[in-house]
Amino acid sequence: MSIKTFKPALLSLAIASSISMNAFADDVAKEASVVEQFTIFGSDSSVNNVPGSAHQLSKDDLEKFDYTDIMRSLTSIPGVYVLEEDGYGLRANIGMRGTGQNRSEKVTIMEDGVLAAPAPYAAPSAYYFPTAGRMQQVEVLKGTSSAMYGPRTTGGVVNMLSRQIPDEALAGQIKVQAGQDGFAKVHGVIGGQGENISSVFEVFRYQADGFKDINHSNQDTGFVKNDVLGKVRFNTDDDATFDQELELKVKYSDEDSDDTYMGLTQADFESDPYSRYSASQKDNMTTEHLQLQLSHAIELSERFNLGTTVYHNDFSRNWYKTSKIGQMVVDDEGNSSIVYQSLSKGTQLASDYDHGEIDELYTQVKANNRDYLSQGIQTVLDADLNNHQLKLGIRYHQDEMDRYQWVDKYYLDANYNMTLTGEGTPGTDSNRIDSASALALFVHDEWTIGKFVINAGLRYEDMTIEREDWGKTDPDRLTEAKTKKNDLDVILPSLALTYHLTDDLVLLGGVQKGFAPPSPGNEEATNEESINYELGARFGKNAFNAEALVFLSDYDNMHGNCTASQNCDDENIGEQYNAGEVKIKGIELKAGYEFDFNDLSMPIDLTYTHTQTEFLNTFESDFWGDVEAGDEFPYVPENQFQLTVGLAGDKWRSNVLVRYTGEMRSEAGVGASASNIDSHTVVDFVASYDIATNQQVRFSVDNLLDETYMATRMHGSIMVGKPQTMSIGYQYNF
């Protein structure tokens, strides 16, 4: 096993999974034997031994529609659910196999094999998400194929592979794009290989004015986001005793978005779905993210390779947004006072004000100011023992979230002007630090016996999760904080089996223990634990491939994490609520075929997911509501379907994507409900033409049929999906 074979483990930052090791960009992955060994379907369309559900979106897959929204890309993967929010994917909500999607907190998000959530143990809600438009590949693992990852092992893993250093001495790319609602994108890359030193530099910027209009205002509702990435790699000479590589990665990003949690009432959604209330005119989010990673890989011998990564992530954000809405009330004795309501209950007041039914309004705008830290070191030993492929790994990780928030008060007059009437003091709303430290170890053995491949794994995690809370009266943190702590350890086994019935057909099955740690703020919250099963088959021959899996997640206890995005009351944000026993089962289907008409080709891809969810016990909860045994889980559609049809000639290509999302609940229950979210179908279209061997123009339309649909009621009001949006682009390669 050469270091070139092990290089993907370096570039994926030494995470031990055979599917993860296919973390090459198409430019880099020219060692065909390496790519074929680790892809789900090799170049000869045969199927491999990857246990469980594992899919990869290649560079070509991602460039087909060239989405900047990761959620639009992931809908081609069965068993993955997404929940739109802002329409541009700035705040990703991703779930897998019924886990729930809120802030992607129930799945493991990684970039280059390193945990990417701002504080994945202490505060998993991903208010930062890696910019999808600069990624070269995306790997999605569910079930037993994701069992080696943590800290959350029930749903699955999304691992995004960033820009790789090109093979050429000098190569690069420039992309520009412009479209409706002020959408614009600039993407530039340059890099190359040297004898011992190689590097790449990338700049990505995209922005929009937004597709919503604030009532009685000309203010934009869009965003600007910037990403800058640099990598430098040092490698030893060809005749060195030990083949080694050392890679430094530095990434900086920032964002300024006029985003809000304030949706619409049902009546306003039906009459003017792309409007926003005047009370949200101050809502704005600013973020900064710094990522440092140093990776080292060494070939110890032909059979042993060692990869190590040290990583550090700093993320800060302040989401300044309306949290309460009030009006002046006069009691029977003539005394006046302002009565505030939560955002969900106060939305009707905001509507009445904009429609002129009341003359004035009062708001509380909260500065949701937080700083995050995530850092650690991880290493993996990869051993080739003939019919045993053994992986041993260890990771030490630390993270924290520092909440230092305040509330400002505003008055809105009869002319819809918003005036500051009370400036809050920083640290007088939420003033606490949630932190975690964790030691994780795993061993994974892939044992080949004839046509059988047995994958056995064992993961151990020892973690301490803690909260220090200074309350609302000690902004300088001079007194001793109120402390809560959870110390726990867990052993997570997994076992999977694949069997080659023929050269083209493989059967697979597996079982694993799923886990998610408790919140630092609730000492009564227990671990989320489940036993997860899957059974299915893969087939691949010539131009046809297919996969069918059934899955069952049997929870002893499911968590619900209370966040502002789920319309939680201020005093409950950050808390965790147990749901007890839950059962989720479903079917995942995926098939693809490419028709060849001599001068034309027509690739077709089909994805379908059917999911059934059920609470198995009756309880009352501030988070879940009043739940009866047999109720269905909110925000998991029973059916979702996607069909992509392409047509390509010598110099041109076109693709149509049809995505159907079935009806889903916004709260636990069964049967029809006025609060359900209706099913909807969205069609995307893209066409491109090569004006030269290294130049291309592109025309794309998101939501081609201009479907108006409800995306979510997550915030206690209705958020609308993105309308029809056209854009044109140009690409130059050198």
Side-chain angles (χ1 to χ4, degrees):
M1 189 193 314
S2 69
I3 197 168
K4 287 187 177 180
T5 305
F6 190 66
K7 185 190 289 186
L10 167 64
L11 298 180
S12 293
L13 305 184
I15 290 295
S17 166
S18 57
I19 187 66
S20 232
M21 288 183 66
N22 117 33
F24 269 113
D26 290 354
D27 294 337
V28 179
K30 295 185 177 180
E31 298 93 336
S33 61
V34 176
V35 177
E36 291 173 18
Q37 182 179 358
F38 298 117
T39 53
I40 295 173
F41 298 104
S43 61
D44 61 352
S45 295
S46 62
V47 287
N48 76 350
N49 301 316
V50 176
S53 175
H55 297 88
Q56 181 191 67
L57 298 176
S58 67
K59 180 182 177 184
D60 289 341
D61 293 331
L62 295 175
E63 288 187 345
K64 187 178 293 184
F65 286 90
D66 201 25
Y67 290 129
T68 54
D69 182 347
I70 184 63
M71 294 189 289
R72 295 181 98 91
S73 297
L74 289 179
T75 54
S76 64
I77 307 298
V80 176
Y81 319 87
V82 300
L83 199 63
E84 292 183 59
E85 183 174 326
D86 55 80
Y88 296 102
L90 300 177
R91 247 60 76 202
N93 298 291
I94 303 166
M96 295 184 187
R97 293 186 170 175
T99 58
Q101 300 99 305
N102 181 53
R103 289 288 172 267
S104 309
E105 64 189 6
K106 291 296 190 74
V107 299
T108 298
I109 305 296
M110 300 188 296
E111 179 177 337
D112 294 331
V114 167
L115 297 173
Y121 283 80
S125 298
Y127 287 89
Y128 163 79
F129 201 91
T131 301
R134 62 176 176 82
M135 298 301 163
Q136 283 197 312
Q137 289 184 1
V138 177
E139 298 166 346
V140 179
L141 298 90
K142 304 187 298 294
T144 49
S145 66
S146 66
M148 289 176 289
Y149 301 87
R152 287 156 184 83
T153 62
T154 298
V157 175
V158 178
N159 184 32
M160 290 164 286
L161 285 305
S162 67
R163 178 67 53 177
Q164 305 301 311
I165 298 172
D167 271 351
E168 297 83 1
L170 180 65
Q173 182 183 84
I174 297 174
K175 287 183 181 181
V176 293
Q177 186 177 356
Q180 289 178 281
D181 301 317
F183 180 81
K185 180 179 74 175
V186 178
H187 186 193
V189 180
I190 187 170
Q193 298 266 2
E195 184 174 348
N196 296 103
I197 301 177
S198 308
S199 63
V200 67
F201 181 73
E202 179 178 31
V203 176
F204 190 98
R205 175 188 173 96
Y206 68 122
Q207 63 189 60
D209 295 336
F211 57 85
K212 297 179 183 179
D213 296 314
I214 298 177
N215 297 334
H216 311 290
S217 171
N218 295 319
Q219 180 180 324
D220 290 338
T221 58
F223 70 95
V224 175
K225 188 170 183 180
N226 301 293
D227 260 79
V228 180
L229 170 73
K231 291 183 180 180
V232 179
R233 187 171 67 225
F234 305 87
N235 61 277
T236 54
D237 294 330
D238 293 338
D239 58 354
T241 303
F242 296 101
D243 196 2
Q244 299 183 66
E245 289 185 350
L246 183 68
E247 182 175 281
L248 173 65
K249 172 186 174 184
V250 180
K251 187 203 74 75
Y252 171 82
S253 65
D254 59 43
E255 175 191 327
D256 189 326
S257 56
D258 297 318
D259 208 358
T260 184
Y261 277 161
M262 191 180 297
L264 300 172
T265 65
Q266 184 74 42
D268 288 333
F269 171 74
E270 293 172 357
S271 63
D272 192 0
Y274 302 110
S275 63
R276 256 178 60 176
Y277 297 131
S278 300
S280 71
Q281 61 187 273
K282 295 292 184 180
D283 290 14
N284 173 265
M285 184 183 227
T286 55
T287 75
E288 285 189 287
H289 183 266
L290 175 65
Q291 181 183 69
L292 303 172
Q293 293 177 197
L294 183 65
S295 304
H296 176 259
I298 180 171
E299 180 188 359
L300 301 172
S301 70
E302 291 184 358
R303 293 183 178 273
F304 295 93
N305 288 286
L306 184 68
T308 304
T309 298
V310 181
Y311 58 92
H312 176 91
N313 289 277
D314 269 314
F315 176 63
S316 61
R317 60 95 155 176
N318 186 6
W319 198 343
Y320 191 67
K321 61 181 184 290
T322 299
S323 60
K324 291 186 178 180
I325 301 174
Q327 62 180 151
M328 189 73 71
V329 176
V330 180
D331 61 21
D332 295 338
E333 298 179 358
N335 300 315
S336 61
S337 62
I338 302 173
V339 177
Y340 288 97
Q341 300 182 48
S342 64
L343 190 60
S344 60
K345 296 176 181 178
T347 302
Q348 186 62 55
L349 281 178
S351 175
D352 292 343
Y353 171 74
D354 278 0
H355 289 297
E357 297 179 17
I358 54 178
D359 293 332
E360 58 183 14
L361 200 68
Y362 298 85
T363 65
Q364 292 184 5
V365 182
K366 182 183 293 188
N368 290 267
N369 181 59
R370 305 175 193 175
D371 292 320
Y372 296 83
L373 172 68
S374 175
Q375 61 187 11
I377 182 171
Q378 59 191 35
T379 187
V380 172
L381 176 67
D382 196 314
D384 181 358
L385 306 177
N386 295 324
N387 61 339
H388 286 271
Q389 300 296 317
L390 189 65
K391 302 177 189 297
L392 302 169
I394 183 171
R395 178 179 69 204
Y396 180 71
H397 175 91
Q398 294 177 330
D399 63 48
E400 72 173 32
M401 174 188 67
D402 187 341
R403 296 168 64 107
Y404 198 68
Q405 303 179 175
W406 63 94
V407 175
D408 293 336
K409 295 182 179 180
Y410 286 85
Y411 168 69
L412 284 81
D413 61 26
N415 295 317
Y416 307 101
N417 297 314
M418 198 166 177
T419 304
L420 180 67
T421 59
E423 187 173 358
T425 301
T428 55
D429 178 66
S430 184
N431 183 8
R432 69 173 193 248
I433 296 176
D434 291 352
S435 60
S437 60
L439 177 67
L441 302 94
F442 73 83
V443 57
H444 180 266
D445 182 23
E446 182 180 291
W447 182 19
T448 303
I449 311 172
K451 294 185 177 182
F452 286 94
V453 179
I454 301 171
N455 286 270
L458 193 66
R459 182 178 185 84
Y460 170 77
E461 294 237 20
D462 184 1
M463 63 195 81
T464 298
I465 305 175
E466 186 175 2
R467 172 172 294 175
E468 299 172 275
D469 195 339
W470 287 269
K472 299 184 178 183
T473 59
D474 185 15
D476 296 323
R477 300 179 176 176
L478 299 176
T479 61
E480 185 175 352
K482 182 179 179 181
T483 302
K484 296 181 179 180
K485 181 185 291 188
N486 281 308
D487 290 306
L488 65 149
D489 58 6
V490 63
I491 297 176
L492 304 171
S494 64
L495 180 65
L497 178 70
T498 58
Y499 176 73
H500 282 267
L501 194 63
T502 69
D503 290 340
D504 305 316
L505 178 63
V506 63
L507 307 179
L508 59 96
V511 59
Q512 65 160 136
K513 183 176 181 180
F515 168 81
S519 162
N522 190 347
E523 294 175 314
E524 296 180 359
T526 58
N527 301 341
E528 179 177 275
E529 295 187 1
S530 62
I531 303 297
N532 309 307
Y533 309 87
E534 61 185 347
L535 183 66
R538 293 194 187 104
F539 179 83
K541 187 173 184 179
N542 300 325
F544 178 73
N545 61 73
E547 177 177 290
L549 285 169
V550 295
F551 67 88
L552 169 64
S553 298
D554 190 357
Y555 288 83
D556 289 332
N557 179 45
M558 173 177 273
H559 281 168
N561 297 311
C562 202
T563 64
S565 65
Q566 290 183 305
N567 193 37
C568 284
D569 293 334
D570 291 347
E571 59 269 18
N572 295 327
I573 290 177
E575 301 300 327
Q576 196 168 70
Y577 295 89
N578 301 321
E581 297 181 25
V582 174
K583 185 171 291 185
I584 300 174
K585 56 187 176 181
I587 302 171
E588 299 172 356
L589 302 175
K590 188 171 179 64
Y593 186 80
E594 183 167 335
F595 293 93
D596 186 356
F597 303 116
N598 295 324
D599 294 335
L600 295 176
S601 63
M602 179 185 288
I604 296 178
D605 185 78
L606 172 68
T607 300
Y608 172 73
T609 305
H610 174 78
T611 312
Q612 294 180 359
T613 64
E614 183 182 8
F615 289 95
L616 300 182
N617 53 302
T618 299
F619 62 97
E620 295 181 4
S621 168
D622 292 337
F623 178 82
W624 298 101
D626 295 336
V627 176
E628 298 285 339
D631 282 354
E632 297 173 352
F633 199 64
Y635 289 105
V636 178
E638 184 174 348
N639 296 290
Q640 55 183 30
F641 167 92
Q642 180 166 301
L643 174 67
T644 304
V645 179
L647 192 64
D650 182 36
K651 293 186 177 182
W652 60 273
R653 289 152 299 279
S654 64
N655 286 276
V656 175
L657 182 152
V658 181
R659 180 173 59 254
Y660 168 82
T661 303
E663 183 182 19
M664 57 184 168
R665 308 193 61 82
S666 64
E667 55 189 16
V670 292
S673 171
S675 63
N676 284 1
I677 298 172
D678 293 337
S679 62
H680 59 270
T681 301
V682 176
V683 179
D684 293 343
F685 171 79
V686 64
S688 61
Y689 181 78
D690 298 333
I691 58 178
T693 56
N694 64 340
Q695 298 181 66
Q696 180 188 93
V697 290
R698 173 187 296 262
F699 172 72
S700 61
V701 187
D702 290 347
N703 196 354
L704 177 68
L705 303 182
D706 202 17
E707 173 87 356
T708 301
Y709 60 97
M710 185 186 304
T712 176
R713 294 179 185 266
M714 188 72 79
H715 315 103
S717 51
I718 297 172
M719 306 293 279
V720 66
K722 188 171 74 169
Q724 183 187 86
T725 307
M726 291 182 283
S727 65
I728 56 173
Y730 169 79
Q731 176 177 320
Y732 175 76
N733 298 314
F734 62 91

